[in-house]
């Protein structure tokens, strides 16, 4: 095993690949260790807050022992209190990366903020949890936005705004694809996305030499977007004074971005690329982060993802992905913000205004406490915010439109595993994608995602062991209506099947597992409080690029949304961007940032009209 310190050469990778590659399926795996419910916090907390328990009572003792080793470490102070007799500038529902980014930007400008998090620790789906000496990332370990240059390194910038910095390890590749066999690729198509752009283009063009020109042209268009984004001071696109300021400073960049706003990636790809197998490759390049193919993926997001991986690179935070949320939370508190854990928000409170409208003025927790705020910001999904915290009967028109245009993305079935070190011997790449049949790309459990964070940070596993985190998109419907026994048996069967698939790229994995914990879409729903365990909205029809995606303001005055159900969508760097935008818009509305009120109002109305019509 190699400790990665920088990009490797294509030659050295090719050598390593010879020892890996797609191979025959190994014998059925042996499950070692009791597979327990995948959660990140002691069940005593969740039990009181979730009505939809999916756990068998017989596992209680196993869970109880697991929760002893779970976060937080004993030294960490967990706040469960904050004053309720004051009016905050912002009450934030949820301390995922979207909520924390908003809070960090707000407290940095002196705003009085309280973050109410249902859980025991910050970070939401980008948190981590501890079991038997392992530190597991809840979600994927692939971090964009942690570079040091430009303006799109939003995680770095967010940490800086509250005086924090995190050490990272550079990933030599973004991902290695292990794709289906075909006439042209009888052993399967294997492509590594190298940190160095030219190495990636050379590798892909070597597989599709007749499309070298088209490949370059397609990815060059992505760079046009990225280079435009990477010179802007990224803030709220709902604030005209800022927008015009950026336009005056960077007219070409703004016009380039404006021209791509209504564009989808599939259209641009087909302009330059004709080979159907290569177009399928572009589809999976999109699918692995947008959970939809290129035709449904906004081109601006593709520009961000396909270039930041080479510009800032993929960088792993030392100590695990959860360190980002922990550092942000510490910084927010150092800047005077309050974070309250075990705070389950049950209702967003609306108060009638003289003009007859209803304004969001605070929230009520499950334990009855009320927090009042000049603004309320929800980091819960749009479905949980409006149907869950406000009420189905009060759904504003724009939200009804949103529900027609977007549907819930799939959740995930995930296995967090400890394995003997020999399984990953010689492995250098943290992220792999396995797909055996193109027809299954969008199907439940079709694409297999694999993260191996200990190849970058061995301290996450006990000596002599590695972490393998494998996950597949999955829908909650398939996990409902089962008895406890059926649910447990199905979890085991699906996990065994995934381990068999993993044996193809990590020979011997199934027989060298030292720890295994399985989570289903029900687990994601329960522990992350996300309806159906969804990871945000996906278009239900071909979208007009990003034009119909809602920003941070809502039709309810005083209420804002942040996170993956706001522009620009899923991904940690994406939700951090939505936090930057949200904080800027809220500060403007609170009179803490300069504004042009009349133009502001007119621009807001114009944006609504464009969004509703697009
Ligand atoms: N490697 C990666 O790229 C990676 C890894 C992890 C997560 N992600 C991304 O992160 C995105 C999600 O981030 P996010 O910030 O939008 O959401 P999130 O789900 O991560 O965080 C939301 C937080 O709000 C809390 N919450 C929800 N309802 C609540 C309530 N009623 N009361 C109190 N707290 C409540 C939840 O407990 C959670 O901590 C996903 O789209 C995913 O793509 C990406
Ligand atoms: C004024 C005028 C004229 C005009 C105006 C125009 C303009 C200025 C515009 C602008 C725009 C903008 C700014 C935009 C922005 C955007 C952004 C920032 C975006 C971002 C994005 C990001 C993203 C999407 C990301 C994502 C990511 C993700 C999701 C990831 C994921 C991952 C995973 C899942 C992993 C995988 C794994 C394995 C492989 C294992």
């Amino acid at each position: 095993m190699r400790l990665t310190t920088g990009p490797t050469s294509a030659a050295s990778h090719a050598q390593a690949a010879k020892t890996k590659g797609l191979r025959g399926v190994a014998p059925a795996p042996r499950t070692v260790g009791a597979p327990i419910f995948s959660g990140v916090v002691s069940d005593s907390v969740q039990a009181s807050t979730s009505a939809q328990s999916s756990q068998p009572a017989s596992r209680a003792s196993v869970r109880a022992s697991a929760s002893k080793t779970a976060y937080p470490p004993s030294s960490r102070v967990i706040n469960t209190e904050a004053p309720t007799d004051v009016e905050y500038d912002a009450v934030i529902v949820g301390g995922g990366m979207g909520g924390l980014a908003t809070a960090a930007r707000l407290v940095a400008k002196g705003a009085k903020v309280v973050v109410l998090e249902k859980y025991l620790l910050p970070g939401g789906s980008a948190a981590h949890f501890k079991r038997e000496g392992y530190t597991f990332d809840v979600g994927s370990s692939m971090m964009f936005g942690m570079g040091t240059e430009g303006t799109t390194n939003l995680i770095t910038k967010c940490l800086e705004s509250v005086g924090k910095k995190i050490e990272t390890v550079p990933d030599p590749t973004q991902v290695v694809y292990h794709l289906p066999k075909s006439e042209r690729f009888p052993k399967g198509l294997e492509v590594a996305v190298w940190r160095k752009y030219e190495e990636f283009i050379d590798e892909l063009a070597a597989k599709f030499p007749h499309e070298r020109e088209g490949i370059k042209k397609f990815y060059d268009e992505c760079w046009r977007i990225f280079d435009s984004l990477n010179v802007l001071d990224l803030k709220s696109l709902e604030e005209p004074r800022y927008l015009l300021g950026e336009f005056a400073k960077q007219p070409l960049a703004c016009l380039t971005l404006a021209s791509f706003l209504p564009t989808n990636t599939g259209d641009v790809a087909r302009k330059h690329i004709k080979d159907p197998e290569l177009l399928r490759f572009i589809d999976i390049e999109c699918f692995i982060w947008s959970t939809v193919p290129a035709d449904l993926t906004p081109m601006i997001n593709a520009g961000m993802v396909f270039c930041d991986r080479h510009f800032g690179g993929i960088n792993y935070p030392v100590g695990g992905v959860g360190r980002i949320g922990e550092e942000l939370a510490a910084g927010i508190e150092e800047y005077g913000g309050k974070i309250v854990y075990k705070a389950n928000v049950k209702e967003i409170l609306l108060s009638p205004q003289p003009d007859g409208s209803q304004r969001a003025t605070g929230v009520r927790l499950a334990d009855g406490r009320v927090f009042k705020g000049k603004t309320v910001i929800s980091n819960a999904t749009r479905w949980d915010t409006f149907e869950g915290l406000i009420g189905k009967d009060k759904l504003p028109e724009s939200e009804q439109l949103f529900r027609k245009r977007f549907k819930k993305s799939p959740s995930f079935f995930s296995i967090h595993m400890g394995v003997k070190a020999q399984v990953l011997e010689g492995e250098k790449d943290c992220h792999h994608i396995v797909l055996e049949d193109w027809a299954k790309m969008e199907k439940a459990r079709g694409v297999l995602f694999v993260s191996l964070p200990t190849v970058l940070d061995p301290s996450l596993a006990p000596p002599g062991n590695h972490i393998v985190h494998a996950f597949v998109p999955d829908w909650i419907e398939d996990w409902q209506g089962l008895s406890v026994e059926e649910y447990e048996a199905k979890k085991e069967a699906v996990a065994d099947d995934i381990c068999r698939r993993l044996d193809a790229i990590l020979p011997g994995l199934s027989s060298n597992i030292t720890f295994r914990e399985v989570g289903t879409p029900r687990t994601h729903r329960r522990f992350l409080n996300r309806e159906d365990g969804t990871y945000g909205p996906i278009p239900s029809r071909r979208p007009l690029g990003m034009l119909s995606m809602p920003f941070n303001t809502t039709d309810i005055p005083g209420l804002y949304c942040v996170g993956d159900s706001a522009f620009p969508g899923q991904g940690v760097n994406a939700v951090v961007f939505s936090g930057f935008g949200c904080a800027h818009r809220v500060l403007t509305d609170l009179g803490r940032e300069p504004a042009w009120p009349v133009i502001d109002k007119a621009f807001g109305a114009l944006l609504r009209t464009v969004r509703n019509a697009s």
Side-chain angles (χ1 to χ4, degrees), residues 93-99 116-119 123-126 139-143 343-345 379-380 389 527-530 535 562-564 570-572 575:
V93 181
M97 289 301 296
L116 303 167
E117 169 53 52
K118 183 175 166 186
Y119 213 17
S125 55
S140 129
S141 306
M142 185 188 287
M143 285 298 121
N344 183 17
V345 176
N379 187 199
L389 301 179
F527 282 88
L528 293 169
N529 221 34
R530 305 182 67 96
Y535 270 80
V562 72
D564 56 23
Q570 300 178 36
V572 172
V575 303

Side-chain angles (χ1 to χ4, degrees), residues 254-430:
C254 286
L255 287 175
T256 305
L257 291 171
S259 71
F260 277 108
L261 271 176
T263 316
N264 296 318
T265 313
D267 296 328
V268 181
R270 274 191 304 276
K271 217 165 77 189
H272 303 297
I273 294 170
K274 299 288 169 263
D275 187 309
E277 202 165 8
L278 183 56
L279 285 170
R280 277 202 296 237
F281 176 77
I282 304 293
D283 272 335
I284 201 159
E285 274 261 86
C286 292
F287 184 87
I288 68 162
W289 48 270
S290 67
T291 60
V292 285
D295 268 345
L296 300 184
T297 303
M299 183 63 187
I300 292 200
N301 281 356
M304 259 302 267
V305 172
F306 293 162
C307 300
D308 185 34
R309 64 192 185 182
H310 306 291
F311 181 86
I314 304 297
N315 300 289
Y316 190 75
V318 173
V321 165
R323 297 282 307 123
I324 305 172
E326 288 175 351
E327 284 300 306
L328 273 180
I332 290 163
E333 287 176 331
E334 282 159 27
Y335 271 68
K338 298 272 178 223
I339 305 188
V340 186
Y341 299 94
K342 296 160 81 175
N344 183 17
V345 176
K346 278 289 175 198
E347 188 185 354
I348 292 176
L349 303 170
L350 304 179
S351 309
Q353 302 298 298
D355 65 359
S357 66
Q358 295 274 338
R359 185 180 175 86
T361 50
V363 303
R364 180 176 287 113
L365 304 193
D367 62 14
R369 275 182 290 171
V370 168
F371 288 87
K372 286 185 237 117
K374 293 180 183 142
T375 62
V376 175
I377 300 168
S378 177
N379 187 199
T381 71
R382 284 199 116 75
W383 296 280
D384 292 288
T385 301
F386 284 92
E387 279 89 340
L389 301 179
I390 291 178
K392 281 188 179 119
D393 52 326
K394 300 195 190 85
L395 209 58
E397 210 181 315
S398 60
E399 291 303 316
Q400 296 175 27
L401 201 60
F402 170 83
R403 278 148 190 76
K404 279 193 198 131
R405 289 176 177 165
F406 293 92
K407 55 185 183 186
K408 290 170 214 148
S409 74
S411 185
F412 286 99
F413 177 96
S414 58
I415 321 176
H416 288 95
M417 274 178 283
V419 300
K420 289 190 191 143
Q422 68 215 50
V423 178
L424 265 58
E425 210 174 320
E427 182 57 67
K428 298 173 183 65
D429 306 303
C430 181

Side-chain angles (χ1 to χ4, degrees), residues 140 142 144 175 229 232 234 237 243 247 254-255 257-258 261 288-289 300-301 304-305 431-433 449-451 471 567-568 570-571 574 577:
S140 129
M142 185 188 287
F144 295 82
V175 59
L229 283 172
L232 297 185
L234 294 173
L237 300 181
L243 262 190
F247 187 74
C254 286
L255 287 175
L257 291 171
L261 271 176
I288 68 162
W289 48 270
I300 292 200
N301 281 356
M304 259 302 267
V305 172
H431 303 283
H432 296 259
I433 286 289
F449 296 68
V450 189
S451 290
F471 49 105
F567 182 98
Q570 300 178 36
F577 174 73

